[in-house]
Amino acid sequence: MPNLPDPAPVVRLPDGTYTYADHLPTPIQPSAVPQVIHQHIHQAPPDRTVQRIALGSGIGAGTVAAGVYFGPLLVGALTAIAANLALLAFLAAVMAWGVVSVVKSIGGTDGANAVKNVGKVRKSLRRR
């Protein structure tokens, strides 16, 4: 059997718990010279909650890095798609307005009746 060192004595703390004597903090010796404490206050770090949850659930750091890298790219791509769709919707509305205006002005009574019929259909669809 190998020679093992004697274990440190067990000490009972004032709160009733037990600990080894070698784990106790060393007492701080008061000094006559006041200590200068340099405190650096920085801006709060970015929120890494998603990364912490991901690492805590056991997925790898590569997955977290991919999320950090591709997350903003995905937001940018979706924003670009939304802007394109908004532009297309605006163009469709302008073109529809132009067609209605041309049909009203050129079509005579047939065009006016067609516009009225479209208006009636729209109103009946809104009521449903």
Side-chain angles (χ1 to χ4, degrees):
M1 183 158 180
N3 293 334
L4 297 175
D6 291 333
V10 177
V11 179
R12 184 173 187 190
L13 298 175
D15 64 353
T17 59
Y18 292 93
T19 186
Y20 290 106
D22 61 349
H23 288 132
L24 292 175
T26 57
I28 299 173
Q29 300 295 330
S31 61
V33 180
Q35 292 180 334
V36 177
I37 299 173
H38 296 281
Q39 185 175 10
H40 299 279
I41 300 173
H42 297 279
Q43 182 180 356
D47 186 19
R48 302 268 187 227
T49 305
V50 175
Q51 287 89 335
R52 286 189 187 114
I53 291 171
L55 288 174
S57 65
I59 65 172
T63 306
V64 174
V68 170
Y69 180 74
F70 289 113
L73 288 177
L74 178 63
V75 170
L78 292 177
T79 303
I81 292 169
N84 288 337
L85 290 176
L87 180 63
L88 289 175
F90 176 73
L91 288 175
V94 168
M95 291 174 70
W97 173 79
V99 168
V100 169
S101 298
V102 168
V103 169
K104 272 186 185 178
S105 63
I106 295 177
T109 57
D110 290 337
N113 289 336
V115 171
K116 286 180 188 175
N117 289 338
V118 170
K120 288 178 186 176
V121 170
R122 275 194 199 155
K123 288 179 185 176
S124 68
L125 291 176
R126 285 185 196 160
R127 291 181 190 154
R128 290 184 186 183

